[in-house]
Amino acid sequence: MAKRIVMALLGAGRIGSIHGATVAQCADAELRYVVDINVESGTALAENLGARFSDSETVLADDEVDAVIIATATDTHADLIVAAAKAGKAIFCEKPVDLDFKKVEKCLEIVSAQKVPLALGFNRRFDPNFRELKEQLSVGRIGELEMISITSRDPSPPPIDYIKVSGGLFRDMMIHDFDMARWLLAEEPTEVYATASCLVDPEIALAGDVDTAMVILKTASGRLCQINNSRRASYGYDQRIEVFGSSGMLRMENETANRVECFDSKGVSASKPLYFFLERYADAYRLELQDFINVIRSGSTPFVSGIDGLRSLRLANAAEESYRTGSSIRL
């Protein structure tokens, strides 16, 4: 049997806990360390997962550690990636690498020079239904791709304190959809137009952000993609994609608690979409970590890399500029 991959988790918050539990349940991986600035929560998670609570210096100095999972605050990602790369560790990092484009570029240059894999947490590409949609698109099921429509709406806004440090809706929320758009379009967008409002919570506007947005992307060949985001959907976590082509359409609807529909004298009813993103993308989180383990074993390229993060950030920055200026941005 192949040696188990030894991992360390940096960040014991909500998403870190998910990744830690996934590794702990993996037969071919071992979670050895948990690191967090909050000693109480970090120690509790480590004990719960059968790992040791430690610090990043100890983790990176341990030659038996093959890989690190970075799930800390955004402003720590780039520095931790660089430190891990220089220590020769494989790296999985939650998005984004950083909010500053130049800093991301420099970080990726160092990772490339160290020749270690860097996988980025755009988990939606790993969702089984989205992957099936992509597969059918790739084999020409609907002919030549012409238009994509991506809907992504959260049940409710995050706390205002989070909004203030998030980088804004385009970089924090819609960046997932930019990655999905790039993946499905199979071409880099060359033009971005964005418009946005604050319709959900006036406190978000006071924090300098928006909560409702639409973006149109256009590629050099003329393919179009429309993305719409809202920080509020009273009926649950709304995640849908429609792809239109020269000979048909592919559509991926929401995941619901069950598929039962009721037809009676009052009308037709069905279950609402799943409410929480951790429920909706449970399979995706598991599959992206398995892909990371496979990358470490095989030496292959991560399915979602740091370059994907850089290019999606570029689109997010262009969307922000378009919204602020009211003009279409050419890339």
Side-chain angles (χ1 to χ4, degrees):
M1 181 177 177
K3 171 186 172 292
R4 299 176 82 195
I5 302 295
V6 177
M7 293 190 176
L9 172 66
L10 312 184
R14 183 171 62 182
I15 193 62
S17 298
I18 295 297
H19 291 319
T22 301
V23 175
Q25 295 165 9
C26 200
D28 53 354
E30 171 196 336
L31 183 66
R32 179 165 296 181
Y33 297 107
V34 173
V35 175
D36 198 274
I37 58 172
N38 187 312
V39 175
E40 184 178 354
S41 61
T43 301
L45 181 62
E47 290 177 353
N48 186 48
L49 298 178
R52 309 171 204 166
F53 180 74
S54 189
D55 57 78
S56 58
E57 291 78 10
T58 299
V59 165
L60 298 182
D62 188 337
D63 291 337
E64 293 187 358
V65 173
D66 301 298
V68 296
I69 298 171
I70 300 173
T72 52
T74 294
D75 61 0
T76 67
H77 287 182
D79 291 341
L80 287 172
I81 288 171
V82 168
K86 290 181 176 179
K89 312 301 185 187
I91 306 156
F92 175 92
C93 184
E94 272 301 317
K95 67 84 187 170
V97 171
D98 196 82
L99 297 175
D100 182 273
F101 192 84
K102 294 294 185 183
K103 190 171 184 178
V104 177
E105 285 187 311
K106 182 62 177 176
C107 176
L108 298 187
E109 287 175 6
I110 294 171
V111 170
S112 178
Q114 296 298 319
K115 301 186 186 307
V116 295
L118 168 60
L120 205 62
F122 282 127
N123 63 297
R124 296 181 190 179
R125 288 204 204 185
F126 293 89
D127 176 77
N129 290 308
F130 288 154
R131 293 191 77 162
E132 178 61 25
L133 184 149
K134 170 67 173 178
E135 176 63 22
Q136 293 196 30
L137 176 63
S138 298
V139 299
R141 182 74 181 273
I142 58 169
E144 290 297 317
L145 171 62
E146 295 173 356
M147 293 190 297
I148 300 173
S149 180
I150 300 176
T151 293
S152 182
R153 302 168 186 158
D154 287 350
S156 60
I160 292 298
D161 286 346
Y162 175 81
I163 293 283
K164 291 177 180 178
V165 298
S166 69
L169 181 143
F170 296 112
R171 297 181 188 89
D172 171 55
M173 181 179 178
M174 195 179 287
I175 198 165
H176 277 288
D177 305 306
F178 288 132
D179 179 69
M180 185 63 65
R182 292 181 55 249
W183 184 45
L184 295 176
L185 286 166
E187 286 184 69
E188 294 297 331
T190 57
E191 190 173 349
V192 180
Y193 176 75
T195 187
S197 301
C198 202
L199 303 175
V200 176
D201 184 349
E203 289 295 317
I204 293 177
L206 292 175
D209 198 8
V210 297
D211 54 35
T212 308
M214 286 191 173
V215 168
I216 293 177
L217 308 174
K218 186 176 182 179
T219 69
S221 70
R223 292 175 174 175
L224 299 174
C225 177
Q226 177 269 331
I227 301 171
N228 73 86
N229 277 186
S230 174
R231 290 287 195 183
R232 176 188 60 203
S234 62
Y235 47 85
Y237 193 49
D238 193 358
Q239 300 281 292
R240 291 172 286 131
I241 293 181
E242 180 181 290
V243 182
F244 180 79
S246 58
S247 60
M249 178 179 72
L250 294 168
R251 187 167 67 191
M252 170 55 206
E253 291 295 321
N254 282 310
E255 288 290 327
T256 57
N258 62 70
R259 296 294 186 179
V260 177
E261 295 179 299
C262 178
F263 296 74
D264 59 20
S265 60
K266 296 178 182 179
V268 180
S269 62
S271 295
K272 293 190 294 186
L274 296 175
Y275 192 81
F276 198 36
F277 73 94
L278 293 178
E279 289 181 278
R280 170 62 182 82
Y281 288 114
D283 286 341
Y285 285 119
R286 176 179 54 80
L287 291 168
E288 72 176 352
L289 258 297
Q290 188 59 59
D291 179 74
F292 180 50
I293 291 170
N294 293 342
V295 165
I296 296 169
R297 290 207 183 283
S298 67
S300 58
T301 301
F303 184 49
V304 188
S305 69
I307 294 298
D308 292 308
L310 183 71
R311 291 174 178 169
S312 293
L313 179 61
R314 185 184 187 206
L315 292 176
N317 288 345
E320 178 77 21
E321 182 182 355
S322 175
Y323 161 60
R324 300 294 179 190
T325 62
S327 304
S328 177
I329 305 301
R330 291 189 175 273
L331 301 175

